């Protein structure tokens, strides 16, 4: 192919589905990519799988696949996704079953595994704790490496129509189809860097079409309610045009592209990826017309030979309570409520690791802010991370107790208790992590 059309169907687990369906139906895409994993998402998925071995993949997988597979099959669009989370094989088996039910006989679904390194993470020292992962004991939940393109490319080479993996670097989902289609060498650092750039620009989906960008009167975005997802037209050298479907809301400009370029990037000249160290320092965006931005100028250097590993572990319980105060002097009454809850929790402080009380709208973002404002209402939120669920429950109960034993006029109290799933990181040699690919074919079952 001289140009690959690749679209972003999702930028996170809870992303909207209608724009992805629109891309599948009207996008004339070669590839539709669903990037749905965050740092904690796969750890939560591992917890879910421990309770149900058949689960552990993206809870929206079935809904997404049923919605887009018929159009993708009709239009010759391949699907690449990390919705496999902690169970790519289970996700692939479900997808193959859905394909059969939809009458898509012969559709090939690939499961790419190998990112789960929980069985050998013990000796590796975690950056955040400074101790080996093994020290977490039974608090350790998951360990998944950010793998590169090898498994994905192998799956595509085996004829897969749908490729489902677990934890991979976000741009990898977009880079792999480009490497496969254009036959880029694994040491063609320039083109690999260009491919990572395309992936990075698309990985957050609507974030480059005006989502998470809109600021009324400052950065206006038309028809945000009907915002479309982006797609890229990429040539064999990795030069790309970022655009969206006609008739969709949102906008694509140099500004939206630049914001996304800098998103979550520590050093633009050394963006560490499994297959290449990408260099975005020379990237150039140029206007090609309405909602069409050309991009090129990325480079690359040899990969580090290390894969980042995201480690999930249990880290206590959060108890949280909220209650509202409105009308005259509501800030003072809200602050009195905060002070009252803090004092009442004093007997349990040994079981409380950290806590905070705040007035939403006054100092919930900047704790140093003082109550100088006079809003018509405030909502108190008191939260504490505790050693056990019983202490966390007391936090929520003390907020609810403000109804009759707190300042005047409190209402709308709520309380929650939830386990904390924390994330730490380390590095593992890439040579110790190998991808496995299994192809399932959707065939009609004969009774």
């Amino acid at each position: 192919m001289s140009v690959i059309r690749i679209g972003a169907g999702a930028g996170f687990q809870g992303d909207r589905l209608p724009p992805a369906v629109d891309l599948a139906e009207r996008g004339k895409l070669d590839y539709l990519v669903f990037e749905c994993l965050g740092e904690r998402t796969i750890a939560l998925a591992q917890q879910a799988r421990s309770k149900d071995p058949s689960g552990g993949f993206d809870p929206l997988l079935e809904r997404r696949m049923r919605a887009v597979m018929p159009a993708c099959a009709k239009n010759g669009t391949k699907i690449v996704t990390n919705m496999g989370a902690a169970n790519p094989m289970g996700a692939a088996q479900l997808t193959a079953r859905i394909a059969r039910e939809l009458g898509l006989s012969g559709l090939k679904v690939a499961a790419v595994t190998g990112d789960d390194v929980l069985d050998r993470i013990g000796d590796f020292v975690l950056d955040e704790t400074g101790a080996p992962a093994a020290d977490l004991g039974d608090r350790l939940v998951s360990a998944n490496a950010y793998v590169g393109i090898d498994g994905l490319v192998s799956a595509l080479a085996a004829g897969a129509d749908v490729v489902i993996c677990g934890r991979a670097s976000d741009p990898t989902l977009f880079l792999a189809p480009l490497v496969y289609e254009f036959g880029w060498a694994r040491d063609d650092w320039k083109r690999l860097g260009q491919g990572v750039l395309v992936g990075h620009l698309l990985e957050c989906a609507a974030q480059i079409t005006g989502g998470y960008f809109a600021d009324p009167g400052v950065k206006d975005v038309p028809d945000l309610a009907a915002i479309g997802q982006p797609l890229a037209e990429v040539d064999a050298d990795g030069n790309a045009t970022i655009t969206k479907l006609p008739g969709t809301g949102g906008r694509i400009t140099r500004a939206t592209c630049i914001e996304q370029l800098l998103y979550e990037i520590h050093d633009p000249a050394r963006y560490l990826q499994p297959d290449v160290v990408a260099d975005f320092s020379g990237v150039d965006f140029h206007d090609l017309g309405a909602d069409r931005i050309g991009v090129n100028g990325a480079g690359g250097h040899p990969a580090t030979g290390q894969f980042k590993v995201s480690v999930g572990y249990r880290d206590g319980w959060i108890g949280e309570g909220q209650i509202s105060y409105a009308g005259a002097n509501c800030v003072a009454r809200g602050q009195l409520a905060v002070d009252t809850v803090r004092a009442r929790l004093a007997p349990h402080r040994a079981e409380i690791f950290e806590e905070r009380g705040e007035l939403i709208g006054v100092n919930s973002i900047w704790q140093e802010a003082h109550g100088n404002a006079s809003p018509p209402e405030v909502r108190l939120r008191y939260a504490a991370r505790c050693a056990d669920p019983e202490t966390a429950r007391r936090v929520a109960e003390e907020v609810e107790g403000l109804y009759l034993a707190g300042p005047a006029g409190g209402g709308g109290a709520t309380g929650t208790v939830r386990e904390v799933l924390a994330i730490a990181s380390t590095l593992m040699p890439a040579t110790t992590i190998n991808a496995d690919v299994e192809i399932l074919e959707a065939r009609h079952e004969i009774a």
Side-chain angles (χ1 to χ4, degrees), residues 372-398:
N372 298 325
S374 298
E377 61 185 49
V378 295
R379 182 141 179 98
L380 176 153
R381 173 183 178 271
Y382 203 100
R385 185 169 65 90
C386 308
D388 53 73
E390 291 75 20
T391 304
R393 194 170 296 112
R394 288 182 182 274
V395 176
E397 290 171 350
E398 286 294 359

Side-chain angles (χ1 to χ4, degrees), residues 91-428:
Q93 290 169 341
L94 174 58
T95 300
R97 177 172 65 78
I98 294 169
R100 288 194 297 271
E101 293 173 0
L102 294 174
L104 304 176
S105 182
L107 194 82
K108 293 184 177 180
V109 182
V112 180
T113 56
D115 62 292
D116 189 336
V117 295
L118 183 61
D119 62 342
R120 53 191 186 278
I121 194 64
D123 292 337
F124 288 86
V125 174
L126 305 179
D127 293 341
E128 290 80 357
T129 67
D135 286 4
L136 293 170
D138 60 6
R139 295 164 58 202
L140 186 61
V141 172
S142 65
N144 293 81
Y146 286 72
V147 300
I149 63 175
D150 287 349
L152 299 175
V153 171
S154 295
L156 293 172
D161 302 292
V162 180
V163 180
I164 302 175
C165 66
R167 180 72 273 179
S169 139
D170 297 349
T172 290
L173 302 178
F174 300 86
L175 176 62
L178 300 177
V179 170
Y180 168 68
E181 294 289 351
F182 293 133
W184 289 346
R186 301 302 177 87
D187 60 354
D188 189 339
W189 310 120
K190 168 67 174 176
R191 287 187 174 89
L192 293 178
Q194 290 270 79
V196 167
L197 172 62
V198 172
H200 179 64
L201 292 175
L202 294 182
E203 68 187 40
C204 293
Q207 208 161 274
I208 201 172
T209 58
Y212 211 65
F213 173 89
D215 191 355
V218 180
K219 298 182 296 182
D220 292 314
V221 174
D223 199 7
L224 188 64
I227 194 168
Q229 307 280 51
L231 64 96
E233 301 163 350
V234 191
D235 70 19
D237 289 323
N239 303 308
T241 298
I242 308 298
T243 186
K244 65 184 185 70
L245 294 180
T248 58
R251 63 189 303 192
I252 295 178
T253 65
R254 291 185 75 253
T256 65
C257 290
I258 290 169
E259 280 202 12
Q260 177 58 29
L261 176 74
L262 299 176
Y263 181 72
E264 293 185 336
I265 295 291
H266 177 255
D267 182 353
R270 286 187 57 80
Y271 184 34
L272 305 182
Q273 289 293 302
D275 300 288
V276 60
V277 175
D279 182 355
F280 294 167
S281 61
V283 168
D284 179 45
F285 294 106
H286 38 283
D287 199 330
L288 300 177
D291 294 317
R292 291 183 65 82
I293 298 294
V295 56
N296 57 25
H301 308 282
T304 64
Q306 300 280 328
F307 283 176
K308 176 183 176 182
V309 178
S310 186
V311 177
Y313 62 98
R314 301 181 185 89
D315 198 26
W317 297 78
I318 287 182
E320 176 185 321
Q322 295 187 20
I323 190 169
S324 294
Y325 294 91
N329 212 31
C330 63
V331 173
R333 284 182 285 128
Q335 188 57 52
L336 176 57
V338 169
D339 296 340
T340 299
V341 171
R342 183 173 287 113
R344 289 173 178 168
L345 289 173
H348 312 287
R349 201 123 286 138
E351 290 77 40
I352 294 176
F353 301 136
E354 54 185 324
E355 61 189 309
R356 63 183 289 167
E358 60 201 21
L359 301 179
I360 298 173
V362 176
N363 60 4
S364 61
I365 303 298
W366 288 285
Q367 282 278 290
E368 299 77 15
H370 299 289
N372 298 325
S374 298
E377 61 185 49
V378 295
R379 182 141 179 98
L380 176 153
R381 173 183 178 271
Y382 203 100
R385 185 169 65 90
C386 308
D388 53 73
E390 291 75 20
T391 304
R393 194 170 296 112
R394 288 182 182 274
V395 176
E397 290 171 350
E398 286 294 359
V399 174
E400 185 177 18
L402 293 169
Y403 264 134
L404 300 184
T414 60
T416 59
V417 174
R418 64 186 186 277
E419 190 175 22
V420 178
L421 192 59
I423 298 296
S425 304
T426 189
L427 297 173
M428 291 184 70

